[in-house]
Amino acid sequence: MRLIRTENYAEMSLEAGKIIIDKIHSNPGLTLGLATGSTPKGVYDYLSQDHKVNGTSYHQVKSINLDEYIGLKVQDPNSYHYFMGQNLFNHLDFHENHTHIPNGAAGDLEQECLRYEQLIKELGGVDLQILGIGQNGHIGFNEPGTPFSSQTHIVTLAKNTREANSRFFNSLEDVPTQAITMGIASILESKEILLLASGERKAEALLKFMNGEISEEFPASALKHHQNVTVIADRDALKYI
Ligand code: F6R
């Protein structure tokens, strides 16, 4: 595992952005695994800015998002579909059929999980996966206790995940209780992984991740089984390391 220490969020975003852009230049048909939330927003701003200024093209790039809430319509401002449009897809030249996010409003959710897992395989797997980390160590929405062998599945969100994400909603009650997420095995099949972390609220999770045991009780620890993980984290997130 490689660790890139940065001074702050802006530098973390820049380092991650540069790696992604380099990969796209060397493989314009890359499959990118994408995350939502506060962590990757700065990276997405950097990619959007670079596209505008330097013209890096995403026309052949495919994207696969990690997760989506169950029960929110695609156009709901809190859906991850909406987030990705606002923060990334609307600013780049992705082919509209090349961006993929689980459908949390599907009639048959079990079938949707199977479809999504199959889709990842059809795309030849994820070349470069971007991950954030939850305060409880979740990756995607794989909460503590999720088997490392899991594929795309339906999850019940942990109480502290709903509390953490309630900052985007009007109230805690409005935060969906379930989501579809790529599983831990699905994530580990990615050829390369960038784990991003910023801010003091991630410091304990990063300490456990870097120094703790490998355990299903701490989902991010599964990444230690992977051969090509780069952690990009800022000073506040690394304050115990
Ligand atoms: C989002 C996701 C989650 C987040 C994590 C951290 O697609 O899969 O694992 O990466 O909850 O969220 P932020 O970045 O908002 O702190």
Side-chain angles (χ1 to χ4, degrees):
M1 190 162 62
R2 195 158 73 104
L3 171 64
I4 300 178
R5 290 175 183 267
T6 69
E7 206 46 47
N8 52 36
Y9 180 78
E11 206 181 304
M12 176 201 78
S13 306
L14 178 103
E15 289 298 328
K18 284 196 305 199
I19 293 174
I20 296 168
I21 291 164
D22 273 359
K23 296 275 166 196
I24 293 171
H25 285 153
S26 54
N27 177 8
L30 184 86
T31 298
L32 259 185
L34 298 174
T36 55
S38 305
T39 308
K41 263 182 143 173
V43 183
Y44 296 162
D45 288 347
Y46 182 81
L47 299 183
S48 304
Q49 191 57 24
D50 164 77
H51 172 68
K52 211 161 129 188
V53 176
N54 303 316
T56 304
S57 176
Y58 294 75
H59 201 62
Q60 294 178 59
V61 175
K62 286 128 207 139
S63 74
I64 286 272
N65 263 76
L66 283 166
D67 41 20
E68 176 59 288
Y69 289 119
I70 288 178
L72 297 188
K73 296 211 171 73
V74 164
Q75 60 275 25
D76 188 300
N78 277 310
S79 76
Y80 287 166
H81 278 78
Y82 189 89
F83 175 100
M84 290 307 300
Q86 289 291 309
N87 290 289
L88 193 66
F89 299 151
N90 298 348
H91 309 287
L92 302 178
D93 62 340
F94 269 101
H95 193 296
E96 67 174 323
N97 298 332
H98 287 177
T99 61
H100 306 281
I101 306 177
N103 179 5
D108 186 339
L109 292 164
E110 294 290 351
Q111 185 53 39
E112 174 59 9
C113 294
L114 293 174
R115 180 195 73 83
Y116 206 72
E117 195 63 37
Q118 184 59 31
L119 175 71
I120 300 169
K121 291 191 174 54
E122 280 164 18
L123 290 173
V126 172
D127 292 303
L128 179 64
Q129 175 69 56
I130 315 300
L131 293 178
I133 183 169
Q135 285 163 263
N136 62 2
H138 72 217
I139 48 172
F141 270 141
N142 294 290
E143 301 287 21
T146 305
F148 285 173
S149 59
S150 54
Q151 297 198 319
T152 303
H153 63 292
I154 298 170
V155 288
T156 296
L157 298 174
K159 189 167 167 276
N160 53 5
T161 298
R162 291 185 64 239
E163 282 164 1
N165 289 4
S166 66
R167 67 191 191 278
F168 300 112
F169 292 79
N170 290 330
S171 70
L172 179 59
E173 290 68 53
D174 290 341
V175 184
T177 54
Q178 289 190 306
I180 294 183
T181 184
M182 274 168 63
I184 294 183
S186 336
I187 292 172
L188 290 181
E189 275 167 30
S190 313
K191 297 179 188 82
E192 182 172 353
I193 295 176
L194 291 185
L195 176 75
L196 311 181
S198 167
E200 218 176 317
R201 76 188 174 95
K202 298 296 171 68
E204 277 182 30
L206 268 202
L207 176 66
K208 265 197 182 167
F209 173 63
M210 304 294 280
N211 297 346
E213 288 173 5
I214 299 180
S215 153
E216 288 182 351
E217 288 314 308
F218 195 75
S221 65
L223 299 176
K224 292 192 175 157
H225 289 307
H226 196 281
Q227 300 306 309
N228 195 352
V229 176
T230 302
V231 178
I232 309 180
D234 66 13
R235 181 200 281 268
D236 288 347
L238 291 170
K239 84 170 198 180
Y240 300 127
I241 293 159

